[in-house]
């Protein structure tokens, strides 16, 4: 039976190759994960999402899978995975796997067979054409590559080594279900589903608009059979108490609802992208100045849009984007902006995801040469865009945009190789700031980003208003402050919480609880004009980035709140009755 336990939980994303090396070969692995599970638990999260840990030639670092039911030898063995799963569960941590079924690796046995002939049992597992259409891939030029054995072209929306599966073939869908059951029967707690909105392509694969990248999207995004196929997969998870979070690049809110609501619901949450393009145009490779207004609008759109209907997946970092402090915050005010960014999203309605290293405020790396970068899309972008600029200028784009900035080894200490590995060198460059930015240092500093994440996650768990309360954006046009309130209680919310949808205990007489979150974005000190509805109310500072809240008592909220460079303050209103009519 499916319940909705994930609503009160939060997750830590592990991109294993750079998490922790346990066997001294310079590459992160399951042994390293096992060593650090208590650390993960100490953050106050409730589970782990593993980016792919399966066998893979690593053309796209794990997202090109050659065996869905195995473990990459770099990362360990299936027995070691079972050990991690067992220990995680003992610690009360759920484990969520990445399900990458839009494509496989070209080294997957299905593709090796498929490419051999037009008639074998795997011939229709992929999309083959005698003549390619005009689609572009995301990572490497045209989306079609010629295969001499078949004298045909195969489709790959991502790299050449990631052929797209033909989901219209029922046999392929059966394979997907077998893979899902394999992991579910082992005891995993859900799936993060990679570019899941792309798996159904329009019949005949017609030409798209002649616009690079975006051109043909209307032929494969939210395709004709997407809901039918996802419901088939949903029927598999119906037998287990797990959740499914789907990645939906460029999925607008209205479309997202078709996946998240109603009798045809096929996903519990959607990884949306609206708030990840507040400093760029579609991709980080076309940079713009960061706009707080866009950030607030994007997050608010999803908060209002899904309220009472569906549940948000909340994140500001993952393995696909450069580090958020370097983008939306300030490296100069790393600590302050790191905490502010945390407060800006952890208290929204939804299930938070925290990416490894985010909790200690890791920042982007600047490597001297493009050949020092490993990511296929980084290299491709470098050789494709801004070609008239100098190498130095082109490298500046890489520094702003590369996914590799989020994939450098996790900085555990100021020691050799940042405590990531005992090997002579790590598999990838370590950020030069590791002496000052590392877990050990963050543990020592009571004002650190790490401690702030712990406090914030604990607060979110304690406060029903932060879990289930109604969201309202305050001062929407303010360019320096992101302020919102969460209101919980009163008959309506209490009875909703009583329903299976919210999964809580419910108390019809619960008093209204209100929380105010104010986040200051900017290097210059700033003053926030407290909205009229909060002015003069009795409230308690329950969290702030400068630690003034510890021991803070009730106070009357002034007309203005003062902030230094960046910073966040969270207030809980006291006894609503006293404030009636204000
Ligand atoms: C989205 C994943 O998050 C990304 O890392 C990957 O490159 C693409 N999908 C293709 O699988």
């Amino acid at each position: 039976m499916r319940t909705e336990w994930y609503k009160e939980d939060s997750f830590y994303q592990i991109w294993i190759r750079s998490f922790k090396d346990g066997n001294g070969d310079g590459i992160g692995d399951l042994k390293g994960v096992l060593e650090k599970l208590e650390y993960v638990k100490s953050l106050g999260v409730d589970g782990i999402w593993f980016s792919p840990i399966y066998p893979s030639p690593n053309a796209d670092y794990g997202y090109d899978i050659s065996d869905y039911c195995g473990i990459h030898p770099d990362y360990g063995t299936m027995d070691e995975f079972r050990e991690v799963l067992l220990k995680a569960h003992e610690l009360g941590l759920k484990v969520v796997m990445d399900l990458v079924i839009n494509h496989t690796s070209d080294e997957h046995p299905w593709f090796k067979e498929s490419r051999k002939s037009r008639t074998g049992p795997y011939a229709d597992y992929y999309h083959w054409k005698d003549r390619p259409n005009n689609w572009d891939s995301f990572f490497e030029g045209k989306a079609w590559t010629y295969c001499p054995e078949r004298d045909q072209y195969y489709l790959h929306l991502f790299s050449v080594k990631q052929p797209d599966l033909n989901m219209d073939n029922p046999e392929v869908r059966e394979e997907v279900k077998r893979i899902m059951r394999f992991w579910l029967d082992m005891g995993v707690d859900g799936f993060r589903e990679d570019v899941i909105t792309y798996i159904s392509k329009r019949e005949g694969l017609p030409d798209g608009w002649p616009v690079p990248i975006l051109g043909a999207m209307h032929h494969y995004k939210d395709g004709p059979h997407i809901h039918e196929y996802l419901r088939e997969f949903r029927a598999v998870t119906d037998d287990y108490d797990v959740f499914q979070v789907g990645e939906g690049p460029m999925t607008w809110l209205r479309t997202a609802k078709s996946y998240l609501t109603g009798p045809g619901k096929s996903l519990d949450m959607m990884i949306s992208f609206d708030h990840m393009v507040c400093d760029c145009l579609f991709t980080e490779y076309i940079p713009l100045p960061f706009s707080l207004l866009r950030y607030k609008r994007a997050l608010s759109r999803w908060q209002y849009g899904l309220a009472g209907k569906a549940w948000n997946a909340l994140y500001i970092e993952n393995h696909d984007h450069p580090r958020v402090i370097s983008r939306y915050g300030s490296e100069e005010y790393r600590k302050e902006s790191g905490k502010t960014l945390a407060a800006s999203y952890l208290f929204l309605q939804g299930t938070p995801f925290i990416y490894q290293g985010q909790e200690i405020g890791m920042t982007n790396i600047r490597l001297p040469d493009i050949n020092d970068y490993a990511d296929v899309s980084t290299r491709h972008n470098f050789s494709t865009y801004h070609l008239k600029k100098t190498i130095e200028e082109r490298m500046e784009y890489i520094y702003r945009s590369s996914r590799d900035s989020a994939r450098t080894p996790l900085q555990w200490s100021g020691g050799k190789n940042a405590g990531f590995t005992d090997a002579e060198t790590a598999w990838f460059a370590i950020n030069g700031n590791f002496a000052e930015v590392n877990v050990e240092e963050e543990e020592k500093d009571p004002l650190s980003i790490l401690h702030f994440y712990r406090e914030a996650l604990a607060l979110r768990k304690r406060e029903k208003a932060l879990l289930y309360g109604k969201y309202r954006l305050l001062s929407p046009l303010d360019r320096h402050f992101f302020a919102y309130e969460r209101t919980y209680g009163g008959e309506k919310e209490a009875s909703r919480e009583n329903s299976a949808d919210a999964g809580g205990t419910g108390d019809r007489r619960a008093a209204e609880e209100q929380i105010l979150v104010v986040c200051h974005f900017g290097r210059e000190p700033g003053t926030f004009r407290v909205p009229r509805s909060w002015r003069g109310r009795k409230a308690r500072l329950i969290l702030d980035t400068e630690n003034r809240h510890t021991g803070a008592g009730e106070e009357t909220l002034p007309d203005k709140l003062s902030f230094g460079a960046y910073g966040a303050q969270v207030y809980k209103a006291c006894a609503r009755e006293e404030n009636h009519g204000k």
Side-chain angles (χ1 to χ4, degrees):
M1 230 279 284
R2 197 191 290 280
T3 62
E4 293 182 320
W5 49 265
Y6 58 84
K7 288 188 169 176
E8 298 194 3
D9 286 2
S10 54
F11 285 82
Y12 187 78
Q13 182 193 349
I14 291 186
W15 197 80
I16 196 167
R17 204 168 182 81
S18 285
F19 181 66
K20 174 76 176 104
D21 176 15
N23 69 357
D25 65 357
I27 299 172
D29 50 31
L30 288 167
K31 233 171 150 208
V33 173
L34 202 61
E35 253 176 60
K36 295 294 182 186
L37 275 183
E38 266 101 2
Y39 167 76
V40 173
K41 175 74 186 172
S42 82
L43 301 175
V45 297
D46 307 278
I48 294 164
W49 147 29
F50 274 114
S51 272
I53 55 175
Y54 321 105
S56 160
N58 280 338
D60 185 19
Y61 284 98
Y63 285 89
D64 49 321
I65 297 172
S66 53
D67 173 5
Y68 285 88
C69 299
I71 299 293
H72 195 304
D74 281 354
Y75 308 142
T77 62
M78 193 56 87
D79 281 345
E80 280 174 318
F81 177 74
R82 285 180 203 274
E83 211 181 326
V84 167
L85 184 62
L86 186 72
K87 181 152 178 218
H89 281 169
E90 277 170 10
L91 289 171
L93 292 171
K94 306 277 196 318
V95 175
V96 169
M97 303 301 277
D98 220 307
L99 186 68
V100 187
I101 54 167
N102 177 67
H103 43 266
T104 67
S105 160
D106 66 341
E107 295 181 37
H108 192 289
W110 301 336
F111 189 75
K112 286 189 183 164
E113 285 304 310
S114 193
R115 72 185 308 159
K116 276 189 196 154
S117 87
R118 299 182 183 203
T119 53
Y122 294 94
D124 294 328
Y125 265 46
Y126 296 84
H127 294 282
W128 292 96
K129 252 181 175 285
D130 292 336
R131 278 204 292 151
N133 62 22
N134 72 350
W135 298 5
D136 283 317
S137 78
F138 288 95
F139 290 169
E140 287 188 289
K142 289 288 161 204
W144 295 87
T145 292
Y146 181 67
C147 172
E149 290 112 302
R150 272 181 75 137
D151 187 22
Q152 277 187 316
Y153 294 80
Y154 67 88
L155 173 68
H156 53 88
L157 288 180
F158 293 90
S159 82
V160 174
K161 286 181 69 63
Q162 290 168 294
D164 279 50
L165 281 164
N166 173 12
M167 212 49 77
D168 299 329
N169 180 343
E171 210 14 70
V172 171
R173 301 203 297 279
E174 288 311 311
E175 300 275 15
V176 170
K177 292 177 211 168
R178 275 194 281 275
I179 294 162
M180 292 173 81
R181 285 196 201 98
F182 174 84
W183 292 103
L184 291 168
D185 288 339
M186 200 183 295
V188 308
D189 302 283
F191 296 111
R192 176 268 186 191
E193 305 187 355
D194 189 66
V195 289
I196 198 68
T197 49
Y198 292 179
I199 64 169
S200 165
K201 276 85 176 170
R202 187 166 316 282
E203 210 177 310
L205 310 175
D207 276 347
W209 301 313
V211 181
I213 296 191
L214 295 177
M217 215 175 238
H218 54 297
H219 292 318
Y220 56 78
K221 192 167 92 61
D222 315 307
H225 300 288
I226 183 74
H227 293 292
E228 186 186 321
Y229 299 162
L230 288 190
R231 276 199 292 274
E232 279 187 36
F233 303 151
R234 187 73 170 175
V236 174
T237 61
D238 273 344
D239 295 338
Y240 305 81
D241 191 12
V242 299
F243 76 78
Q244 290 163 278
V245 53
E247 188 196 27
M250 306 222 188
T251 297
W252 314 130
L253 175 66
R254 184 142 52 93
T255 317
K257 285 188 203 159
S258 66
Y259 294 91
L260 302 174
T261 62
K265 170 172 172 171
S266 53
L267 296 171
D268 298 290
M269 291 176 270
M270 167 113 7
I271 298 174
S272 66
F273 281 62
D274 289 8
H275 68 292
M276 294 307 283
V277 287
C278 302
D279 64 348
C280 60
L281 189 69
F282 299 123
T283 137
E284 284 101 344
Y285 209 64
I286 311 178
L288 295 171
F290 169 63
S291 158
L292 181 63
L293 288 186
R294 281 180 77 179
Y295 183 63
K296 300 200 297 192
R297 268 188 220 130
L299 290 171
S300 301
R301 197 177 312 127
W302 285 74
Q303 288 292 300
Y304 286 122
L306 298 190
K309 302 187 186 87
W311 200 249
N312 277 285
L314 307 170
Y315 76 101
I316 48 173
E317 275 200 9
N318 64 33
H319 64 292
D320 283 336
H321 304 278
R323 293 289 182 179
V324 75
I325 289 178
S326 306
R327 300 182 64 187
Y328 293 2
S330 154
E331 289 182 6
E332 189 186 342
Y333 294 100
R334 191 184 64 82
K335 213 195 265 185
E336 295 81 353
S337 65
K339 291 190 270 186
T340 306
L341 281 156
S344 75
Y345 91 107
L346 290 177
F347 303 133
L348 300 172
Q349 189 178 73
T351 297
F353 291 80
I354 295 143
Y355 178 63
Q356 67 186 41
Q358 178 187 331
E359 80 281 14
I360 58 164
M362 285 178 64
T363 56
N364 285 354
I365 198 167
R366 297 165 71 91
L367 296 170
D369 193 293
I370 189 61
N371 293 315
D372 298 328
Y373 285 81
D375 168 36
V376 57
S377 71
T378 303
R379 285 161 164 269
H380 174 71
N381 287 342
F382 182 82
S383 61
T384 310
Y385 299 105
H386 310 300
L387 294 181
K388 294 211 171 111
K389 307 228 180 229
T390 64
I391 297 283
E392 289 71 28
E393 285 166 340
R394 283 160 63 193
M395 287 308 288
E396 286 299 326
Y397 284 100
I398 297 299
Y399 302 149
R400 277 276 309 246
S401 64
S402 175
R403 307 195 293 182
D404 276 342
S405 271
R407 298 175 177 189
T408 63
L410 188 48
Q411 295 158 205
W412 292 99
S413 74
K416 182 182 166 195
N417 291 322
F420 165 73
T421 178
D422 293 335
E424 221 24 70
T425 49
W427 79 276
F428 194 73
I430 293 173
N431 194 311
N433 66 9
F434 75 92
E436 134 211 2
V437 181
N438 64 65
V439 175
E440 242 172 52
E441 285 300 315
E442 293 272 313
E443 291 282 11
K444 282 190 237 155
D445 173 7
L447 275 170
S448 69
I449 301 177
L450 176 62
H451 287 304
F452 188 79
Y453 267 93
R454 287 191 175 124
E455 279 194 76
L457 287 169
L459 181 67
R460 174 185 175 272
K461 263 220 180 305
R462 270 200 312 274
E463 296 292 345
K464 284 268 187 242
L466 295 180
L467 292 169
Y468 296 113
K470 208 191 292 161
Y471 169 88
R472 188 160 77 102
L473 175 66
L474 304 170
S475 311
L477 299 180
D478 196 313
R479 290 171 186 278
H480 299 290
F481 287 92
F482 178 18
Y484 56 91
E485 70 182 18
R486 303 287 311 277
T487 308
Y488 173 81
E491 207 174 277
K492 209 166 150 228
E493 270 71 27
S495 60
R496 181 150 56 80
E497 193 215 342
N498 227 353
S499 75
D501 218 305
T505 52
D507 176 1
R508 286 185 157 266
R509 286 157 303 150
E512 185 176 88
E513 291 175 16
Q514 255 193 332
I515 289 182
L516 169 69
V517 180
V518 183
C519 305
H520 175 226
F521 283 76
R523 295 144 173 268
E524 303 304 325
T527 311
F528 177 66
R529 281 175 56 81
V530 175
R532 225 177 283 138
S533 56
W534 276 88
R535 254 177 248 164
R537 289 178 69 174
K538 289 253 181 317
R540 226 157 38 80
L541 182 63
I542 53 173
L543 184 69
D544 87 309
T545 43
E546 291 171 27
N547 264 8
R548 290 179 295 114
H549 62 283
T550 36
E554 225 173 88
E555 59 178 295
T556 302
L557 270 187
D559 291 359
K560 289 177 181 165
L561 297 173
S562 303
F563 290 80
Y566 294 88
Q569 300 177 14
V570 182
Y571 291 89
K572 181 172 182 179
C574 310
R576 189 175 179 269
E577 295 73 37
E578 290 172 26
N579 302 307
H580 250 319
K582 293 232 166 122

